[in-house]
Amino acid sequence: MDTSNKAVIENPVMLPGTEPASGQRPSTIKKAIVEAFIKLNPAVMIKNPVMFTVEAGFFITLILTVFPGIFGEPSDRIYNGAVSMILLVTILFANFAEALAEGRGRAQAESLKKSKRDVEAKLLVKDGSIVPVFSPELRKGDIVLAEANDIIPGDGEVIEGVASVDESAITGESAPVIKEAGGDFCSVTGGTRVASDWIKIRITAEPGESFLDRMISMVEGAKRKKTPNEIALNTLLISLTLIFIVVCATLVPIGSYVDVHIPVSTLIALLVCLIPTTIGGLLSAIGIAGMDRVTKFNVIAMSGKAVEAAGDINTLILDKTGTITYGNRMASEFIPCGGYSIGELSEAAAESSLHDETPEGKSIIGLSKKLGERLPTVKNSIGIEFKAETRMSGTDFPDGRAVRKGAVDAVRRYVESFGGTIPGDMDKLAEGIAREGGTPLAVADGNKILGLVYLKDTVKPGMKERFAELRKMGIKTIMCTGDNPLTAATIAREAGVDDYIPEARPEDKLELIRREQGEGKLVAMSGDGTNDAPALAQADVGVAMNSGTAAAKEAANMVDLDSDPTKIIEVIAIGKQLLMTRGALTTFSIANDIAKYFAIIPAMLLLAIPEMESLNLMGLETPESAILSALIFNAVIIPILIPLAMKGIEYVPMSATKLLRKNLLIYGLGGVVVPFAGIKLIDLALAFVL
Amino acid sequence: MDLLQTGIVLLMVVTLAVPMGKYIAAVFSLESTKLDKGFGKIEGIIFRLGGIAGDSMTWKQYAKAVIISNFVMFGAGYLILRLQTFLPLNPNEIGNMDPLLSFNTAASFLTNTNLQHYSGESGLTYLSQMMVIMFLMFTTPATGLAVCMAFIRGLTGKESLGNFYVDLVRAHTRILLPLSFLVSMLLVSQGVPQTLSPNVEAMTQEGNVQQIARGPVAALESIKHLGTNGGGFFGVNSSHPFENPTPLSNVIEILSMFLLPASLPFAFGSMSGRKKTGRMLFGAMAIMFLGFLSVAYISETYGNMALQEAGLSQEEGNMEGKEVRFGIAQSTLFTAVTTAATTGTVNNMHDTLTPLGGMVPVAQMMLNCVFGGDGVGLINILMYGILAVFIAGLMVGRTPEFLGRKIEAGEMKLIAITILIHPLIILVPSAIALATGMGSAAVSNPGYHGISQVLYEFTSSAANNGSGFEGLGDNTPFWNISTGLVMLFGRYFSIIAMLAVGASMMVKKPVPETIGTFKTDNSTYMAILLGTVLVVGALTFFPVLALGPVADALTLR
């Protein structure tokens, strides 16, 4: 599967003004540095108790630098100053990580805000006259007129007229889309522009509550709430911090019982090294960056919770049409009947499709070409359009010939009405096609039936592999389709989905979701129509297509701006990646403590108990350099891990056990080993400098 | 020879634990079992007398039942100790216990700790031994088992947490009483006294009169071990020849105290239908146990180099404070088992273990989940199991689940506080004791060893172990009050918090297991569990251990 990053590169459709995942704009970094200092405000820091503890340690050591004897015993001013500075840098690094993650979101929000400027709207009042008002004055239920080149003043639905609307401001897609009253294409978004014609719109959102407003606040992270998992993890981090405060505080009286006197700055250094500053400093950046990766993917998640839930999905419900298959039936074979040759049939089929602009028609011409048929000329021929009553389309030629193609029974009636005969093998062949999940089209030239066109719904390339990957992640895929059981089974087999629901009505989807959820599963689905809304709302992760109705978007917890229903698969991967990154860095952070202990504890006690030298496994130079090295390692590991926190750790679909073993080896064992090497290196460097 | 006898004993533990685990699962089954036929009648009478309907309880009701029943037991125990001299069965004319010591003793036995700031032979009447000590020795492991069962029912999503009184009674009738009877008989066969007659007076060679204490020892001795209680009839506990006369009685006692804690993981496997997870939990605890036992054994066999230099042979290892009839192997095994299972009975003086050998019992009590006491040990390892899943489980890209149930902020909060409380009630009182005259005056051996003594006392109290490092003059108001409070906090906080965790897990909808689920029954998880326990434990206690036993060991050379 594409990891998110790869997919971003492959997917050129991006929000205007956003830069690709790789490479930060220098100005973003500069802003983040400034932010890092602003965030030093203790009132802000207290929201992150782990880093707040570090800040408290910074202030105490700062006081000790200025007044080395303030706690009774004299202490080394320079050493205190060094500890104090390293602590400050540690906090700044953590703040920088957060600011950087927030900055990226803000850049996207800026570009969205540009499309949200106040516009003049043409409000239609009861007597039919038009009153110009500013968009913030519009209320729910107001009716406005939007003509060519007008910016649509707010979210709403079309009640009259047809217009093409340029939605590139939101989706980045430059081709205008048609909006008309009724059906699934009636919803319009504020900030988009009418490209041609006119529409009357009923406003559906109060000012400040529009889709765009919500999007901006989501992207900006202004409304960012901690997700349930983040809250739980934070609880653990706070409790570890409290444990280590107790451990360090009690060390003073216990130590002085045996005449071990520990300088306050050393004690603070020990505390800061032990509390999980690495994950504490990066936790919010990981969360923001995870949301951001989803946004980069042109999917707007309404909450971080939804992204997390995506990682937990057990069942994925996909519509067949448009998601798994192209949705249009393609000609895959010509089957002649009644003794005609395949060439005759192919020619007639192509002739019947000369004026047919539908995908089916085009595919017939395509297949015919492939068979080496020369296309007849269009000149002077008249296209007969498909009509619901006739259920046929075709071409009338100037010489009086009439070629038709259509549903088998419709063509049969047509031919019989001209006194033609029906080939004996036609019904059997037609039945055979239907049994295999295809749709047979009969082709008639005058009153002769030449044969059948085998129309087949084609599975999009790569879907089978994706479903195999989902299976590896332990996710079950269910295909919903309105097709009959036979057709559904064929497509399901071809696409490799785990299960399918044939002849599905919208309420069946809701029922299915409820049933799966009843078994404790988390369900994801994507949809666009109004009749999908209840199911989207019921699903744990519901991705609505931006082209879909307002009701669908309202009910979903994610909106895909590109309206690509298969994207939900990538969203799942991003969700998993987010959780993995959090777990990996937590494990890494805690595993780091072992090495830090072996650096600090012997150093701390060495003065009073020279025998402690045997615990100095790393052979660090002096007690001071040992403590400072551990502290410096503790600080620099944060910026080193920022790229990882932002990008997320690599995710390749595999079974949980394999994945766990792999990550445990890298981040668990790595977390134990890396700091031993890192601290030793820093100590060597310090010894060289000092 | 040493290894062989150790190996045989441990093999017997495993052999007995597997069927015992199955039996326990059946005993506490919420559905009716064959056992109901045999025991049902007696239990029926008890339920009728006690007015117990046996309805399922919510966690709050369950916790309330635990607290109220325990409080009543505490009050009764306290009153008997205060008034024992006026009560019957006092042939040796022992006086009343003073208020603070009574508080400490009642708290100690109520919490399955059995820390003894008194000596049984001179401080307790036979009635007190039976009505306070032995009575609580039955009810507290039964309480532990009951809570453990309720916790497992919650974690595995049974229909309810059960009924505390039913669990309490069943633990007695179906497990503790029959087993104690059996073990008592075995011990009597080894020469342990069981009598209500007064002390015997003997004439010594010098013509002095010596009082030889005796009493209903065998009855106490059996439940002392089976219930992971540990409070001795006599002051010197299981090193006394009347409590533990022969190597065989030593083995019987080791087996009895290890039996229930070792079988509970298997019981968990049976109850949850996840036998492999049960075996994995057993394996994790067994690996820790073997590691600790090896350290103790090697360090005791190596001996004390300071004594060697003083001209005392260390060829037999460090025999100071050990009984010759047990030797190094049976002593270190006993030490490792008594602190793993948090029993607290001793057959040698832990104060005289080598510094590193002495660190083993402290460390096991600090972790408090190397098998652990009846019921509570399994609760602790499961709690660490949840913590391990929470930290590492994210690495499979799903929000963490334990046994198919999501671990969320609510459970994490309770677990985080429970994990915090253990070091808090060990380190803070230790610091206060060492910093103040009230505490440090009791230390008989200042310096690093003094830290070990104080640390041991509070760790033993917090882990509800009850063994003493001794060498600590601890019958003072400071020690009686502080350890009393630590024992109560150590016991009830985690019990209540974990009942709440169990209840909140129970109502969660289990997520079906797929290939994407974090597995809790394989060696990878075992490694994570071990890593979590050891890293969290080491991070919390390494500094203080460095100042105590480690410094002690390093400076002894």
Side-chain angles (χ1 to χ4, degrees):
Chain A
M1 163 178 304
D2 298 331
T3 62
S4 58
N5 299 318
K6 202 166 130 212
V8 167
I9 294 158
E10 280 174 4
N11 179 0
V13 184
M14 268 194 293
L15 291 174
T18 54
E19 60 272 85
S22 54
Q24 295 286 337
R25 267 195 315 205
S27 68
T28 322
I29 293 181
K30 217 180 278 171
K31 262 187 210 155
I33 293 173
V34 176
E35 275 286 302
F37 280 94
I38 295 170
K39 282 171 186 276
L40 283 177
N41 179 358
V44 179
M45 289 297 293
I46 196 134
K47 282 182 200 149
N48 183 344
V50 178
M51 295 317 289
F52 182 75
T53 310
V54 182
E55 191 168 44
F58 160 68
F59 282 120
I60 296 172
T61 48
L62 189 67
I63 293 169
L64 275 168
T65 313
V66 185
F67 310 105
I70 198 163
F71 292 122
E73 291 171 42
S75 58
D76 184 347
R77 184 191 294 262
I78 296 171
Y79 171 68
N80 292 343
V83 171
S84 175
M85 280 308 107
I86 301 171
L87 295 189
L88 176 63
V89 171
T90 312
I91 307 164
L92 287 174
F93 280 153
N95 287 351
F96 174 73
E98 193 180 76
L100 200 60
E102 285 173 348
R104 290 164 138 209
R106 209 167 296 141
Q108 291 175 333
E110 287 304 319
S111 73
L112 284 173
K113 273 186 192 155
K114 276 182 205 142
S115 53
K116 197 197 156 301
R117 51 184 181 236
D118 295 346
V119 293
E120 198 166 288
K122 295 167 181 162
L123 180 67
L124 286 169
V125 282
K126 277 200 182 121
D127 60 6
S129 61
I130 292 172
V131 182
V133 292
F134 275 106
S135 53
E137 293 163 33
L138 290 174
R139 291 290 175 276
K140 212 167 167 175
D142 285 350
I143 292 168
V144 294
L145 174 73
E147 291 167 303
N149 286 324
D150 283 352
I151 302 280
I152 294 175
D155 290 3
E157 48 186 39
V158 179
I159 51 170
E160 200 184 325
V162 183
S164 64
V165 175
D166 172 9
E167 293 196 320
S168 60
I170 291 177
T171 63
E173 175 70 63
S174 53
V177 285
I178 301 293
K179 296 288 180 183
E180 59 188 334
D184 283 348
F185 296 98
C186 68
S187 95
V188 291
T189 312
T192 54
R193 193 177 57 87
V194 178
S196 68
D197 306 298
W198 59 270
I199 37 177
K200 280 185 190 168
I201 302 159
R202 184 190 295 121
I203 298 293
T204 53
E206 297 288 348
E209 289 169 13
S210 72
F211 179 61
L212 201 60
D213 289 314
R214 277 190 297 155
M215 236 167 88
I216 290 170
S217 71
M218 279 321 301
V219 171
E220 230 177 5
K223 271 199 197 156
R224 205 182 98 83
K225 272 197 214 136
K226 283 201 175 102
T227 63
N229 178 258
E230 257 182 303
I231 293 170
L233 188 55
N234 231 343
T235 312
L236 177 69
L237 298 183
I238 292 171
S239 122
L240 283 175
T241 305
L242 287 174
I243 288 179
F244 291 131
I245 290 176
V246 171
V247 168
C248 292
T250 52
L251 212 49
V252 178
I254 295 176
S256 45
Y257 177 74
V258 285
D259 286 326
V260 172
H261 298 286
I262 305 162
V264 175
S265 18
T266 300
L267 207 62
I268 288 171
L270 175 67
L271 176 64
V272 170
C273 278
L274 292 182
I275 61 176
T277 47
T278 314
I279 181 67
L282 292 172
L283 188 60
S284 59
I286 294 171
I288 299 168
M291 287 279 286
D292 191 46
R293 280 201 299 282
V294 176
T295 316
K296 281 255 156 66
F297 214 57
N298 256 3
V299 174
I300 301 294
M302 295 305 166
S303 69
K305 195 177 159 188
V307 180
E308 245 170 42
D312 281 353
I313 290 304
N314 302 87
T315 304
L316 178 58
I317 297 174
L318 293 167
D319 278 331
K320 186 202 78 173
T321 310
T323 306
I324 296 172
T325 65
Y326 283 111
N328 26 37
R329 299 151 206 261
M330 311 279 235
S332 71
E333 208 182 329
F334 294 125
I335 302 173
C337 343
Y340 291 99
S341 76
I342 196 159
E344 288 167 298
L345 171 61
S346 164
E347 190 186 347
E351 282 170 346
S352 72
S353 307
L354 277 179
H355 296 272
D356 189 351
E357 291 296 312
T358 63
E360 283 98 335
K362 284 184 185 158
S363 76
I364 289 174
I365 293 196
L367 182 65
S368 183
K369 265 189 195 161
K370 226 163 80 187
L371 292 174
E373 206 64 47
R374 286 228 335 266
L375 283 189
T377 45
V378 190
K379 223 175 172 183
N380 295 329
S381 62
I382 300 160
I384 305 298
E385 262 187 54
F386 177 89
K387 280 202 194 95
E389 308 89 74
T390 59
R391 289 161 65 219
M392 286 189 305
S393 65
T395 311
D396 284 350
F397 289 94
D399 58 0
R401 259 181 73 223
V403 195
R404 294 286 183 274
K405 68 167 194 292
V408 175
D409 54 331
V411 175
R412 177 207 303 271
R413 245 176 286 130
Y414 170 81
V415 169
E416 278 170 351
S417 71
F418 287 99
T421 49
I422 310 300
D425 52 352
M426 184 184 82
D427 283 340
K428 224 177 116 194
L429 288 169
E431 239 170 69
I433 293 173
R435 204 172 312 123
E436 283 174 39
T439 309
L441 279 188
V443 181
D445 185 349
N447 63 357
K448 305 182 298 261
I449 289 186
L450 304 181
L452 303 171
V453 180
Y454 189 153
L455 289 182
K456 208 169 166 185
D457 202 354
T458 21
V459 174
K460 289 183 184 173
M463 289 314 283
K464 197 168 182 149
E465 290 73 21
R466 288 183 156 202
F467 292 138
E469 277 168 2
L470 286 171
R471 206 165 300 122
K472 265 194 231 163
M473 299 182 203
I475 296 170
K476 181 174 151 193
T477 43
I478 302 178
M479 178 181 88
C480 274
T481 171
D483 290 343
N484 63 55
L486 262 176
T487 315
T490 311
I491 298 286
R493 200 170 41 238
E494 230 173 275
V497 294
D498 297 314
D499 204 352
Y500 61 91
I501 309 283
E503 288 164 357
R505 295 157 304 157
E507 56 268 34
D508 291 340
K509 223 186 249 179
L510 186 62
E511 171 69 21
L512 173 66
I513 294 174
R514 289 214 174 116
R515 199 175 63 225
E516 291 285 314
Q517 286 174 336
E519 291 169 23
K521 295 176 183 169
L522 262 65
V523 184
M525 69 163 282
S526 52
D528 52 7
T530 299
N531 51 21
D532 278 334
L536 280 170
Q538 179 73 32
D540 300 282
V541 175
V543 182
M545 302 300 106
N546 190 49
S547 59
T549 59
K553 284 195 258 183
E554 196 68 46
N557 44 19
M558 288 189 204
V559 176
D560 177 18
L561 301 176
D562 299 336
S563 305
D564 171 4
T566 57
K567 250 201 220 166
I568 192 165
I569 299 174
E570 274 82 13
V571 172
I572 290 175
I574 294 176
K576 284 195 178 294
Q577 208 189 13
L578 168 69
L579 293 169
M580 278 165 55
T581 309
R582 211 178 271 158
L585 292 186
T586 307
T587 308
F588 186 81
S589 187
I590 295 173
N592 272 197
D593 281 3
I594 297 172
K596 292 178 197 160
Y597 256 143
F598 279 102
I600 297 188
I601 297 280
M604 198 164 76
L605 307 179
L606 202 59
L607 204 64
I609 314 167
E611 289 86 350
M612 280 290 160
E613 184 58 34
S614 56
L615 286 184
N616 184 5
L617 298 183
M618 285 170 272
L620 305 175
E621 284 295 319
T622 63
E624 285 78 18
S625 80
I627 292 165
L628 291 180
S629 302
L631 209 51
I632 291 172
F633 177 85
N634 191 55
V636 296
I637 196 71
I638 295 177
I640 290 174
L641 291 175
I642 287 179
L644 193 67
M646 295 285 186
K647 254 172 52 193
I649 68 173
E650 192 200 0
Y651 176 60
V652 183
M654 56 172 98
S655 81
T657 309
K658 271 194 207 158
L659 200 58
L660 182 62
R661 252 178 234 158
K662 185 183 142 204
N663 286 330
L664 203 60
L665 217 58
I666 301 176
Y667 300 98
L669 204 61
V672 175
V673 177
V674 166
F676 274 103
I679 292 172
K680 177 72 190 167
L681 278 177
I682 296 171
D683 183 66
L684 286 175
L686 278 182
F688 183 74
V689 173
L690 298 178
Chain B
M1 196 52 200
D2 279 1
L3 291 182
L4 190 67
Q5 50 177 312
T6 307
I8 290 174
V9 173
L10 293 180
L11 206 66
M12 287 168 78
V13 173
V14 182
T15 320
L16 291 172
V18 176
M20 189 65 201
K22 247 187 225 160
Y23 177 72
I24 295 176
V27 162
F28 293 102
S29 167
L30 292 179
E31 282 109 53
S32 53
T33 58
K34 276 184 242 161
L35 294 171
D36 294 342
K37 270 187 199 154
F39 295 105
K41 272 185 199 153
I42 314 164
E43 286 161 5
I45 297 168
I46 298 172
F47 291 152
R48 260 197 304 279
L49 285 177
I52 300 163
D55 303 331
S56 356
M57 291 175 161
T58 64
W59 81 266
K60 279 186 186 155
Q61 289 170 326
Y62 206 103
K64 217 161 109 188
V66 171
I67 301 295
I68 290 175
S69 64
N70 277 233
F71 185 76
V72 172
M73 293 177 204
F74 177 84
Y78 179 83
L79 282 180
I80 294 173
L81 291 175
R82 294 284 293 119
L83 304 170
Q84 59 179 354
T85 192
F86 312 122
L87 298 170
L89 287 179
N90 186 6
N92 298 323
E93 290 162 15
I94 288 165
N96 290 331
M97 201 180 255
D98 82 65
L100 284 178
L101 185 57
S102 299
F103 161 74
N104 186 277
T105 304
S108 163
F109 281 85
L110 184 74
T111 55
N112 196 242
T113 313
N114 297 20
L115 191 73
Q116 292 168 294
H117 288 175
Y118 66 91
S119 266
E121 56 268 59
S122 56
L124 293 180
T125 65
Y126 288 169
L127 185 84
S128 294
Q129 291 275 25
M130 293 192 288
M131 292 281 289
V132 181
I133 305 303
M134 277 189 244
F135 167 69
L136 290 174
M137 277 183 171
F138 273 98
T139 59
T140 59
T143 302
L145 283 172
V147 173
C148 178
M149 292 304 137
F151 183 57
I152 295 176
R153 287 175 193 138
L155 278 191
T156 56
K158 296 267 185 283
E159 61 264 39
S160 82
L161 292 181
N163 179 296
F164 172 67
Y165 297 110
V166 171
D167 290 338
L168 188 75
V169 169
R170 283 187 182 180
H172 281 95
T173 53
R174 301 181 182 194
I175 298 175
L176 296 174
L177 284 168
L179 278 177
S180 314
F181 184 75
L182 183 73
V183 173
S184 299
M185 287 301 124
L186 288 173
L187 288 174
V188 167
S189 80
Q190 292 300 306
V192 177
Q194 174 67 20
T195 175
L196 290 178
S197 316
N199 293 350
V200 180
E201 284 191 3
M203 209 55 111
T204 63
Q205 294 282 331
E206 300 147 18
N208 291 333
V209 176
Q210 186 191 358
Q211 295 273 337
I212 297 179
R214 53 182 183 166
V217 185
L220 182 140
E221 206 59 20
S222 55
I223 189 62
K224 169 179 119 183
H225 291 101
L226 282 167
T228 65
N229 290 295
F233 195 93
F234 304 110
V236 293
N237 216 308
S238 273
S239 53
H240 193 289
F242 281 180
E243 286 206 20
N244 189 2
T246 65
L248 195 59
S249 69
N250 198 52
V251 171
I252 294 170
E253 293 182 2
I254 291 177
L255 289 179
S256 351
M257 64 175 144
F258 226 10
L259 179 62
L260 293 178
S263 59
L264 281 170
F266 297 112
F268 169 81
S270 277
M271 286 176 75
S272 61
R274 294 166 189 266
K275 292 221 162 77
K276 270 175 87 183
T277 303
R279 283 201 291 269
M280 187 281 309
L281 287 174
F282 180 88
M285 297 195 281
I287 288 173
M288 288 192 278
F289 175 78
L290 290 177
F292 282 117
L293 175 65
S294 311
V295 173
Y297 177 73
I298 292 168
S299 148
E300 292 308 303
T301 332
Y302 185 70
N304 183 339
M305 284 307 110
L307 288 179
Q308 173 98 17
E309 276 160 35
L312 291 166
S313 165
Q314 295 292 300
E315 243 161 68
E316 292 292 312
N318 173 33
M319 280 302 288
E320 187 196 355
K322 295 188 180 63
E323 293 290 307
V324 180
R325 65 182 185 283
F326 302 135
I328 298 282
Q330 290 292 329
S331 298
T332 47
L333 181 60
F334 202 94
T335 294
V337 173
T338 191
T339 46
T342 69
T343 307
T345 171
V346 291
N347 77 349
N348 66 88
M349 292 300 111
H350 290 180
D351 195 26
T352 55
L353 291 167
T354 57
L356 289 182
M359 191 168 81
V360 165
V362 193
Q364 293 202 107
M365 294 187 292
M366 282 169 169
L367 299 183
N368 205 9
C369 62
V370 186
F371 291 105
D374 282 353
V376 289
L378 188 76
I379 294 180
N380 281 334
I381 193 84
L382 284 170
M383 180 183 78
Y384 273 108
I386 296 174
L387 182 68
V389 165
F390 184 77
I391 295 174
L394 279 171
M395 283 196 289
V396 305
R398 295 174 60 88
T399 55
E401 301 150 8
F402 188 66
L403 307 183
R405 289 175 163 73
K406 278 197 187 312
I407 306 162
E408 286 160 308
E411 296 84 51
M412 261 341 275
K413 219 169 270 172
L414 290 165
I415 289 173
I417 299 173
T418 310
I419 286 179
L420 170 67
I421 210 96
H422 190 57
L424 191 75
I425 59 178
I426 292 175
L427 295 176
V428 172
S430 295
I432 294 172
L434 288 166
T436 60
M438 294 183 294
S440 56
V443 174
S444 64
N445 214 334
Y448 309 126
H449 198 76
I451 293 182
S452 300
Q453 287 184 336
V454 169
L455 191 64
Y456 194 105
E457 185 77 2
F458 284 113
T459 309
S460 177
S461 304
N464 296 142
N465 175 289
S467 64
F469 215 36
E470 302 311 334
L472 198 64
D474 47 20
N475 185 12
T476 65
F478 172 82
W479 287 100
N480 281 336
I481 295 172
S482 62
T483 55
L485 291 175
V486 168
M487 289 186 282
L488 291 170
F489 272 118
R491 172 89 169 173
Y492 293 103
F493 194 89
S494 65
I495 281 185
I496 296 168
M498 290 305 114
L499 273 177
V501 169
S504 95
M505 295 288 270
M506 184 170 74
V507 295
K508 289 188 186 185
K509 200 158 267 170
V511 182
E513 267 180 48
T514 66
I515 191 168
T517 310
F518 184 102
K519 297 268 183 302
T520 50
D521 55 6
N522 55 22
S523 53
T524 312
Y525 178 66
M526 189 159 95
I528 296 172
L529 176 59
L530 284 174
T532 308
V533 172
L534 295 176
V535 169
V536 171
L539 292 181
T540 314
F541 295 111
F542 184 63
V544 72
L545 287 176
L547 275 174
V550 174
D552 200 4
L554 289 174
T555 50
L556 198 66
R557 283 187 287 205

